[in-house]
Amino acid sequence: MNTSELKIMEVLLHLGLGLLLLVVRHSASATFVPSSECKRQCGHVEIPYPFGIGKNCSLAGGFDVTCQPGQNGFSKPFIGGRELLNISLTNSTIRVLNPITPYCYNDSTSELDMLTGTTNVTSDIDSNSPFRFSDIRNKFTVIGCNTLGTFGNNNSDSEYLSGCFSFCGQNLSAQTDRSCSGMGCCQVAIPKGMEFNGVALNVIKLSNTSEMWKGFGQRCSYAVIMEAAAFNFRTTYINTTEFWDMGAGRAPAVLDWSIGSGTCEVVKRNLSGAYACRSSNSKCFDSTSGSAGYVCNCSQGYEGNPYIPDGCKDVDECKGRPCPSDGVCRNTVGAYRCSCPTGRKYSLSNNTCNLDAGLIIGVTMGFLGLMIFCFCGYTILQKRKLKKVKQEYFRKHGGLILFETMKSEKGLAFTVFSEAELRHATNNYDKSRIIGKGGHGTVYRGVVKDKPVAVKKCTLMDERQKKEFGQEMLILSQINHKNIVKLLGCCLEVEVPMLVYEYIPKGTMFELIHGRNQSLQIRFSTLLRIAQEVAEGLRFLHSYASPPIIHGDVKTANILLDENCMAKVSDFGASILAPSDKEQYVTMVQGTVGYLDPEYMQTCQLTEKSDVYSFGVILLEVLTGEVPLKLYGPEEKRSLTSNFLTAMKENNLSLVLASHITEQESIELIRGIADLAKNCLDMCGINRPSMKQITDELSRLRKLSIHPWVQQNMEEMETQRLLCGSEDTSFGTESSIIEYPRPEAANQSMNPTSSYYAR
């Protein structure tokens, strides 16, 4: 026989041995499959395999159950001579009724009955019994007075003796229900592995005479190994037979059981033995009852009988609602899975759906990142857009012309401010910084490079004004006159340009005449000087500015006073350059009612003589101390101009003059000022004097009032009397209508930063 044939024979031999081993294993295992005809219930007790009723219905002889007829036609199962109550495959236990050992007093002989004092807990199970008393679920219990109960295992391999003593005092009322701690009842644990068929129980009464026993009124004592959970001590057990009668001398006990004598590892290796764990979804566990052997149980997620093929079935855990109320349960083979709503995460430790912190943080961070990205992109786009808008505003407002001129005229003291600079200077246009409000804008006090300034936010401008704004700013910036507020600069990168003037801190001429200083009765000569300074400023605008400038809103509220009470003409919001053609007619009349030129209101053409008319109204305020227009009283008395012209026509000037003026000055001076005012208020503009003629006339009239050296000293004294030296932060105000104080409030103070103007 050659080598190849030998190899073939060797392979065939190995295959044959393998098949033989499989057949042996299958045949050995097949002996454990119960017959389908086996009875699986006796009375109300289920008898699952490996237990069985009848031949070849159980795993081995120790698991045979007999079903015996009972009372009322109900059958009862018995195992090892004990009535079987139930079988647990999961816990590998059975419950049986275990005999109680009594020790009773005999009334007929008045002696102790020793015959019932000892019980052998034996059975008809052979020495290889699979049952052991459960040391976890049972306790040795003794009931009685002065009674010693003992129990022991008479197996020579594991001899054991233990017990407990139950004591009673003279007063049985000391015992309490549900307390088995030595007073009338005692309990003690039993050792692991105590055999079911080799336990002896003894009850020993320690009282010597029947008289002493009678004194307790107690007849019997008891000892039993029973299920701890089924026992609940009552004091009536001591002096009655209630404990015995409840179970007819028997008490439930729990027995552990196991299969065979080998461990799981040994049985699995032994091909000739019968492995009892037949179900494919079962597991083998070594016995923990103190004896050799093993038990079977279904794998996790399965339930049923692990001792028969396919006996372990998948458990639908979702029927028991193991998941949180807001979760969803999905059954799987041998297990289940809980899922939670979006945004929540299942927590196995406490079986709850908690907020998914990781998901929330991730989504939040992603959202924040997206928002930051969008915000940054939006900010960049807005900055670019704003920059373009500012550049467009700068171009429209003549900024390029300004810069070109500033380069060519190096001595030009004019600054083009950025919007950010003016925001910072005025603390973001804080309301507390407002020093004036009117129809042409709002004036704020600001600080630029440690220098106080007045920042004016103008109202909307028409297209013509926007086109000419740069040129007009150049002209205004070149005006340098002591009686005109200096324009320091402007801001062109906003929709409506902002103007920056020098800051004049000491109030207005309106306040000096009508406001808080009225009670001082300012000398007429001082007011006349201030009026002349106003005329000088207007004369400069009309005659020396190139091109000439028409103020357009001359009034006492726009005449500021510096530290020396020198007049400063301010607020050029309504100003225009002297018209050079017919196209420069205004489409909307601007100014303040009471000061407006009637001819201007009719023709909508602003001229130099319009400023003259307004100055005439100022002269009336100096002469009369009254406001130009009253909103109360008789209608014919509301206009100061009408009252004055009527008084002049009737040659009754004293009706409108202030009383203190007639006391201070000569009638010739007063009459001269009145005639000058009348000429300024002429309805026809061409008949009105020019500002040059007005300044010359005022200069002449002032010389008539007093000698020059006396005049100078008087004015210095008057300056000290004024409140011009007080700290005040008022700036010129503007409006189209003025509401003046009522007579009863004429002597009250007025807030320098407030305005009596209704826009």
Side-chain angles (χ1 to χ4, degrees):
M1 187 177 291
N2 56 31
T3 306
S4 60
E5 291 177 343
L6 289 175
K7 289 184 178 180
I8 292 172
M9 291 295 293
E10 185 179 356
V11 170
L12 291 174
L13 179 61
H14 281 295
L15 289 174
L17 288 175
L19 290 173
L20 179 61
L21 290 174
L22 289 174
V23 170
V24 172
R25 176 177 291 182
H26 177 72
S27 61
S29 300
T31 59
F32 292 93
V33 179
S35 172
S36 59
E37 297 179 357
C38 292
K39 187 178 180 180
R40 289 299 162 199
Q41 185 164 348
C42 181
H44 297 293
V45 180
E46 294 287 339
I47 311 297
Y49 188 82
F51 296 86
I53 302 173
K55 187 178 180 180
N56 296 327
C57 289
S58 63
L59 180 64
F63 291 94
D64 288 337
V65 178
T66 59
C67 189
Q68 301 177 6
Q71 297 177 353
N72 301 325
F74 287 101
S75 299
K76 292 183 179 180
F78 287 84
I79 188 167
R82 303 291 186 265
E83 183 180 342
L84 180 62
L85 299 179
N86 59 52
I87 300 171
S88 173
L89 297 181
T90 303
N91 298 322
S92 300
T93 61
I94 62 171
R95 292 178 75 242
V96 298
L97 289 178
N98 199 33
I100 300 172
T101 300
Y103 199 124
C104 297
Y105 175 73
N106 193 328
D107 290 332
S108 61
T109 61
S110 299
E111 294 180 356
L112 297 176
D113 187 356
M114 301 298 293
L115 298 177
T116 57
T118 302
T119 299
N120 240 345
V121 186
T122 58
S123 68
D124 56 0
I125 301 178
D126 58 28
S127 59
N128 293 324
S129 170
F131 302 106
R132 300 289 186 273
F133 278 107
S134 174
D135 60 304
I136 298 174
R137 294 176 173 85
N138 298 316
K139 283 189 177 181
F140 176 65
T141 304
V142 176
I143 299 173
C145 291
N146 299 339
T147 302
L148 176 63
T150 64
F151 68 98
N153 195 353
N154 59 7
N155 189 328
S156 60
D157 294 334
S158 58
E159 295 181 358
Y160 184 82
L161 179 65
S162 184
C164 67
F165 175 66
S166 175
F167 172 77
C168 290
Q170 293 295 329
N171 185 6
L172 292 180
S173 63
Q175 281 77 29
T176 59
D177 291 342
R178 295 182 297 278
S179 176
C180 189
S181 57
M183 296 290 290
C185 174
C186 68
Q187 286 183 321
V188 65
I190 65 173
K192 179 181 291 188
M194 182 170 285
E195 295 179 1
F196 178 46
N197 65 341
V199 177
L201 304 180
N202 294 288
V203 179
I204 303 173
K205 295 294 293 188
L206 299 183
S207 301
N208 294 333
T209 65
S210 60
E211 293 297 328
M212 186 173 183
W213 199 342
K214 292 178 181 179
F216 292 110
Q218 186 253 9
R219 295 175 56 82
C220 296
S221 297
Y222 309 100
V224 65
I225 295 177
M226 67 177 296
E227 185 179 13
F231 179 70
N232 192 6
F233 175 70
R234 298 176 62 182
T235 57
T236 55
Y237 292 169
I238 299 175
N239 53 9
T240 67
T241 61
E242 182 181 349
F243 179 67
W244 176 276
D245 296 337
M246 281 193 307
R250 299 174 300 172
V254 180
L255 304 180
D256 292 328
W257 52 268
S258 60
I259 298 173
S261 59
T263 62
C264 293
E265 184 179 357
V266 172
V267 174
K268 290 178 180 179
R269 287 203 309 260
N270 188 4
L271 298 177
S272 61
Y275 181 51
C277 302
R278 298 287 294 158
S279 179
S280 59
N281 294 310
S282 63
K283 289 185 178 180
C284 181
F285 300 91
D286 292 336
S287 175
T288 59
S289 63
S291 63
Y294 67 95
V295 294
C296 303
N297 219 328
C298 292
S299 303
Q300 185 177 1
Y302 295 85
E303 63 182 2
N305 192 335
Y307 299 97
I308 60 176
D310 298 325
C312 291
K313 304 296 183 182
D314 177 48
V315 179
D316 187 359
E317 292 88 353
C318 293
K319 291 182 179 180
R321 297 184 179 180
C323 297
S325 58
D326 54 345
V328 178
C329 180
R330 292 179 175 84
N331 186 55
T332 60
V333 178
Y336 68 95
R337 184 174 69 253
C338 292
S339 60
C340 295
T342 304
R344 291 183 173 270
K345 186 178 182 181
Y346 178 68
S347 174
L348 182 61
S349 59
N350 54 11
N351 192 35
T352 56
C353 284
N354 300 323
L355 291 174
D356 192 346
L359 177 62
I360 293 175
I361 292 174
V363 172
T364 303
M365 294 300 293
F367 179 75
L368 288 177
L370 180 62
M371 291 298 294
I372 293 173
F373 177 78
C374 293
F375 177 77
C376 292
Y378 177 78
T379 302
I380 293 173
L381 291 176
Q382 288 299 108
K383 285 184 177 180
R384 291 179 179 177
K385 183 178 179 180
L386 182 61
K387 185 177 180 181
K388 290 182 179 179
V389 170
K390 288 182 177 181
Q391 290 174 348
E392 182 63 19
Y393 285 148
F394 189 83
R395 184 189 62 79
K396 284 184 177 181
H397 299 326
L400 298 177
I401 299 175
L402 276 175
F403 275 128
E404 290 176 1
T405 306
M406 290 169 66
K407 288 180 182 179
S408 60
E409 299 181 16
K410 297 181 180 180
L412 182 62
F414 189 80
T415 304
V416 178
F417 295 94
S418 67
E419 183 187 15
E421 287 180 293
L422 297 188
R423 281 186 178 276
H424 182 266
T426 59
N427 193 20
N428 199 26
Y429 307 110
D430 190 88
K431 291 183 179 180
S432 62
R433 297 291 189 94
I434 296 177
I435 56 177
K437 270 187 176 183
H440 298 134
T442 303
V443 184
Y444 298 85
R445 183 183 184 276
V447 178
V448 176
K449 297 180 181 179
D450 298 328
K451 180 180 179 180
V453 296
V455 180
K456 182 175 181 179
K457 290 184 69 175
C458 303
T459 53
L460 293 175
M461 308 170 67
D462 57 32
E463 290 301 320
R464 181 188 62 81
Q465 289 175 309
K466 289 181 180 180
K467 292 178 181 179
E468 298 180 0
F469 183 81
Q471 182 66 30
E472 293 178 8
M473 288 301 100
L474 278 176
I475 296 171
L476 292 175
S477 65
Q478 298 179 65
I479 295 176
N480 188 14
H481 191 272
K482 64 179 181 178
N483 297 125
I484 298 176
V485 175
K486 178 66 176 176
L487 179 65
L488 303 178
C490 66
C491 175
L492 302 177
E493 59 183 25
V494 289
E495 183 177 4
V496 179
M498 290 185 285
L499 307 177
V500 181
Y501 291 96
E502 65 174 320
Y503 180 67
I504 309 299
K506 300 303 177 181
T508 66
M509 186 177 182
F510 179 88
E511 294 170 353
L512 192 66
I513 299 174
H514 309 291
R516 60 165 186 246
N517 297 326
Q518 184 183 13
S519 60
L520 297 177
Q521 292 186 352
I522 307 302
R523 291 188 62 84
F524 182 76
S525 59
T526 300
L527 294 177
L528 193 59
R529 173 184 59 80
I530 294 174
Q532 184 181 356
E533 291 171 350
V534 173
E536 292 285 353
L538 295 176
R539 176 186 178 183
F540 180 85
L541 293 176
H542 292 177
S543 304
Y544 299 100
S546 180
I549 298 173
I550 301 171
H551 189 281
D553 194 18
V554 177
K555 58 183 179 181
T556 52
N558 286 338
I559 309 302
L560 305 182
L561 303 174
D562 66 5
E563 294 83 352
N564 300 317
C565 280
M566 178 181 290
K568 298 273 189 177
V569 179
S570 70
D571 192 359
F572 294 87
S575 302
I576 64 170
L577 301 178
S580 58
D581 53 50
K582 295 182 179 180
E583 293 182 358
Q584 296 193 21
Y585 288 91
V586 297
T587 57
M588 183 179 66
V589 175
Q590 300 183 70
T592 304
V593 176
Y595 295 91
L596 282 174
D597 175 14
E599 190 176 62
Y600 166 52
M601 296 176 67
Q602 292 178 357
T603 63
C604 293
Q605 186 177 12
L606 193 65
T607 65
E608 297 172 356
K609 298 301 179 72
S610 299
D611 287 348
V612 172
Y613 182 90
S614 300
F615 182 77
V617 179
I618 292 178
L619 291 180
L620 293 189
E621 292 182 72
V622 172
L623 288 171
T624 64
E626 299 288 340
V627 294
L629 185 65
K630 298 178 181 178
L631 301 181
Y632 52 87
E635 186 174 353
E636 63 276 6
K637 297 293 185 180
R638 293 182 182 180
S639 173
L640 177 61
T641 303
S642 298
N643 293 341
F644 172 75
L645 293 177
T646 300
M648 289 291 289
K649 184 177 180 180
E650 297 176 354
N651 198 23
N652 196 5
L653 184 61
S654 59
L655 289 178
V656 295
L657 293 177
S659 59
H660 67 280
I661 293 178
T662 56
E663 297 173 358
Q664 295 176 6
E665 302 296 341
S666 64
I667 190 64
E668 291 81 2
L669 175 62
I670 295 173
R671 188 70 187 184
I673 299 298
D675 288 339
L676 179 59
K678 178 182 177 182
N679 293 334
C680 291
L681 298 174
D682 195 291
M683 295 299 291
C684 184
I686 196 172
N687 296 330
R688 301 169 194 162
S690 65
M691 291 308 303
K692 180 180 182 304
Q693 293 171 330
I694 293 173
T695 54
D696 293 341
E697 180 64 13
L698 286 176
S699 178
R700 185 187 67 80
L701 292 173
R702 287 188 62 205
K703 291 177 181 179
L704 293 177
S705 62
I706 195 169
H707 293 292
W709 57 87
V710 179
Q711 173 72 6
Q712 182 178 358
N713 292 337
M714 291 298 293
E715 288 187 358
E716 290 177 357
M717 293 175 61
E718 181 66 20
T719 300
Q720 296 298 324
R721 292 179 63 240
L722 293 174
L723 292 182
C724 294
S726 62
E727 289 298 328
D728 188 5
T729 58
S730 179
F731 196 82
T733 56
E734 54 193 53
S735 180
S736 57
I737 300 177
I738 302 181
E739 295 182 4
Y740 298 99
R742 295 179 181 273
E744 59 270 17
N747 294 328
Q748 295 180 0
S749 300
M750 296 181 64
N751 190 330
T753 62
S754 63
S755 176
Y756 284 86
Y757 300 93
R759 294 179 295 280

